[in-house]
Amino acid sequence: MRGMGGKTGRAVGCLMAFTISTGALGATPADVGAQDADTLVLGLDQALEIARGSNPTYRQAVNSTGLNGAETRTTWLSQVLPQAQLNLFSTGFDGNISRIGTDDFGNPILRPEADWVYASTTRQALTLNWSIQGASLFQALDRQRLTNTQRELSEAGALTGVEIAVRRAFMDVLEQRDLLEAERETLEGRRTDQDVSNRLFRLAMRTRVDVLNAELAVEQQTLAVQQQSAAFQRAKLTLRTALGDEALPPLRLVDEVLPIFDPGSLDPEALVATAERVNPEMRSVSVAVDEAELGVSEANRSWWPTLTASAQLSRVARSNAATGESSGAALFDVSFDEDLDQNFYVGLSFPMFNNYFQNRQEQHRARIDRSNRREALRETQLRTEETVRSALLELENQHESLRLAERSAVIAREALRLAREEYRLGTRDFEDLRDAFDQEAQTRRQVIQARHAFVDALLSLEEAVGTAVRPAGAPGA
């Protein structure tokens, strides 16, 4: 009878353990999230929109692009069109000692002694100046166009980088949250193990060592939950920094469908070709080569003659005491009763031999710079191709790792189910059951990590290519 009582107690304890453990493992993410005090429900699309409007790195690039319009207008007005100078009003009064005077008929005569002669003037003038050397007008426009393009590419690169950073930080928060939920479920399982050990100890079916080991497992798992909770909070801080809006309330992220798909449909050659065409870094280096080509043309411009033209329309009021006028009569004189003066000038100069050796040096330096930038473009192409192919290999590796992790989780769940049945029948001891439970918990963690590792590898590939690479029909495409 005593033996039968032991078996009965063991069976009752086993059934209680199964009931509690099943309840712990059946906790849903919504139940865990209900305990969260976050107030802003944030989706990935909303997070990207916030980052576009608030991220400091991207906003700096946008502000720099705002210079394009002003600099383009300045280029037209200062380097292409004639430069206008307007003198609205200038007046002056001066005097000098002179021995020359005038007689009653206005003829110059020699004075017996020197005397001060005073005069005043008031002037208004409009002057237009224009200068051209070779193709300088078109080169100025080309230079400004390339500068504008570089700023636009910098903005595009900053936007791509910010979006990748926000996506990665967002997914990392989801990963750390899922891992935290998994650790809490494992903690409930540890506590169930501890309760069963205590009951079996009271029934004299287990030793004090089993009770202490169960208590130790609970404490260690509590520490794991605390550490994972801290990792979850750090991930949210990283996301807030990536968003760039310090006024955001506490965050609570909604679940997102992870973009998991078979990368076997991705063509490496097509990805490399796309990267060479749209990757912001590749495009920026290509524009740098165009700038170097333009620099060579600008350096060779020194061999061309310079054409200079100017036109001036002016009005001048003058008074001179030597002519019998009041010396200050023209001071602040704005009456337009004088004739307008018109001047026009056209000049052609040949500065090709001015600073000859310095010009040759600049031409040589421009050609060297062009060669270096072409090599930099080739280097960037090689590095981009390597990065894209490596990222694709990593994506394929993570997809296979995810498949193996999911398969391992299925096997671990089946092993745990069988271990529970054997324990209920008395053919397996409690330590073996706990090992099966630990293995199942570990495989659940591995599946979570493998899924997010695949997403991280996908983001790295898209960052290398410069655009989304998900095939049609894939989640998140």
Side-chain angles (χ1 to χ4, degrees), residues 48 159-169 459-460 462-463:
L48 293 173
L159 178 59
T160 300
V162 166
E163 289 182 345
I164 292 295
V166 170
R167 290 178 184 274
R168 184 170 279 122
L459 293 177
S460 297
E462 292 182 340
E463 184 177 18

Side-chain angles (χ1 to χ4, degrees), residues 79-366:
Q79 301 186 50
V80 179
L81 299 177
Q83 299 183 38
Q85 296 179 348
L86 179 61
N87 181 5
L88 290 177
F89 181 82
S90 65
T91 187
F93 185 83
D94 61 78
N96 63 312
I97 298 177
S98 176
R99 289 183 176 273
I100 304 298
T102 57
D103 58 15
D104 295 337
F105 300 99
N107 299 316
I109 60 174
L110 183 64
R111 293 176 177 174
E113 59 182 17
D115 195 6
W116 284 93
V117 177
Y118 299 96
S120 60
T121 59
T122 297
R123 179 185 181 89
Q124 293 87 25
L126 173 63
T127 305
L128 297 178
N129 296 311
W130 190 65
S131 179
I132 179 174
Q133 184 181 24
S136 60
L137 302 184
F138 303 103
Q139 290 170 353
L141 293 176
D142 288 341
R143 174 67 65 181
Q144 186 59 49
R145 176 181 58 82
L146 293 174
T147 300
N148 294 346
T149 302
Q150 282 287 23
R151 291 199 185 100
E152 292 169 356
L153 291 176
S154 296
E155 179 182 343
L159 178 59
T160 300
V162 166
E163 289 182 345
I164 292 295
V166 170
R167 290 178 184 274
R168 184 170 279 122
F170 191 96
M171 292 302 175
D172 186 52
V173 173
L174 295 183
E175 179 184 8
Q176 300 305 322
R177 187 192 65 182
D178 293 344
L179 288 174
L180 178 59
E181 293 171 357
E183 295 296 344
R184 287 171 175 169
E185 292 176 2
T186 303
L187 177 60
E188 292 300 320
R190 294 294 190 186
R191 288 172 176 168
T192 300
D193 292 346
Q194 184 181 23
D195 292 339
V196 173
S197 297
N198 288 331
R199 292 191 186 96
L200 295 177
F201 176 72
R202 287 194 294 269
L203 294 174
M205 298 176 61
R206 290 291 184 270
T207 66
R208 180 64 177 169
V209 175
D210 292 335
V211 174
L212 293 176
N213 286 335
E215 182 179 358
L216 176 61
V218 169
E219 294 299 326
Q220 291 178 338
Q221 187 59 35
T222 302
L223 177 60
V225 170
Q226 179 182 351
Q227 292 175 342
Q228 185 57 44
S229 178
F232 176 54
Q233 297 300 326
R234 288 196 298 270
K236 289 200 294 184
L237 288 176
T238 301
L239 176 60
R240 293 180 67 92
T241 301
L243 295 178
D245 188 354
E246 63 276 7
L248 287 176
L251 305 178
R252 180 165 62 86
L253 273 58
V254 299
D255 289 326
E256 293 286 339
V257 178
L258 298 183
I260 306 295
F261 60 91
D262 185 0
S265 59
L266 299 178
D267 182 9
E269 302 301 330
L271 292 177
V272 171
T274 302
E276 293 179 351
R277 187 176 64 256
V278 304
N279 183 279
E281 182 183 4
M282 279 291 304
R283 295 175 62 191
S284 178
V285 176
S286 179
V287 172
V289 173
D290 294 338
E291 289 178 333
E293 294 281 0
L294 180 59
V296 173
S297 300
E298 290 173 337
N300 293 333
R301 197 175 64 201
S302 61
W303 296 112
W304 287 84
T306 301
L307 175 65
T308 304
S310 65
Q312 185 180 77
L313 180 65
S314 62
R315 172 263 181 189
V316 182
R318 298 182 180 89
S319 67
N320 195 328
T323 61
E325 299 177 292
S326 171
S327 58
L331 198 63
F332 300 103
D333 182 5
V334 294
S335 60
F336 279 84
D337 52 358
E338 294 85 2
D339 294 333
L340 294 178
D341 296 333
Q342 299 183 30
N343 298 301
F344 182 74
Y345 167 81
V346 176
L348 186 65
S349 61
F350 298 86
M352 62 183 65
F353 296 111
N354 296 341
N355 299 322
Y356 174 80
F357 293 103
Q358 183 177 354
N359 291 337
R360 294 290 294 174
Q361 175 182 328
E362 293 299 327
Q363 293 167 4
H364 185 65
R365 180 181 289 113

Side-chain angles (χ1 to χ4, degrees), residues 190 408-409 411-413 415-416 432-446:
R190 294 294 190 186
S408 298
I411 296 174
R413 282 195 297 270
L416 178 59
D432 293 337
L433 176 62
R434 187 172 60 183
D435 291 341
F437 181 80
D438 291 342
Q439 291 178 357
E440 194 275 337
Q442 180 62 26
T443 57
R444 281 190 287 115
R445 297 188 194 99
Q446 290 174 349

Side-chain angles (χ1 to χ4, degrees), residues 412-450:
R413 282 195 297 270
E414 179 65 15
L416 178 59
R417 185 185 67 81
L418 296 176
R420 284 171 173 168
E421 292 180 357
E422 293 176 359
Y423 184 72
R424 184 169 59 247
L425 297 174
T427 59
R428 182 180 292 268
D429 59 20
F430 186 75
E431 287 75 11
D432 293 337
L433 176 62
R434 187 172 60 183
D435 291 341
F437 181 80
D438 291 342
Q439 291 178 357
E440 194 275 337
Q442 180 62 26
T443 57
R444 281 190 287 115
R445 297 188 194 99
Q446 290 174 349
V447 169
I448 294 173
Q449 293 170 343

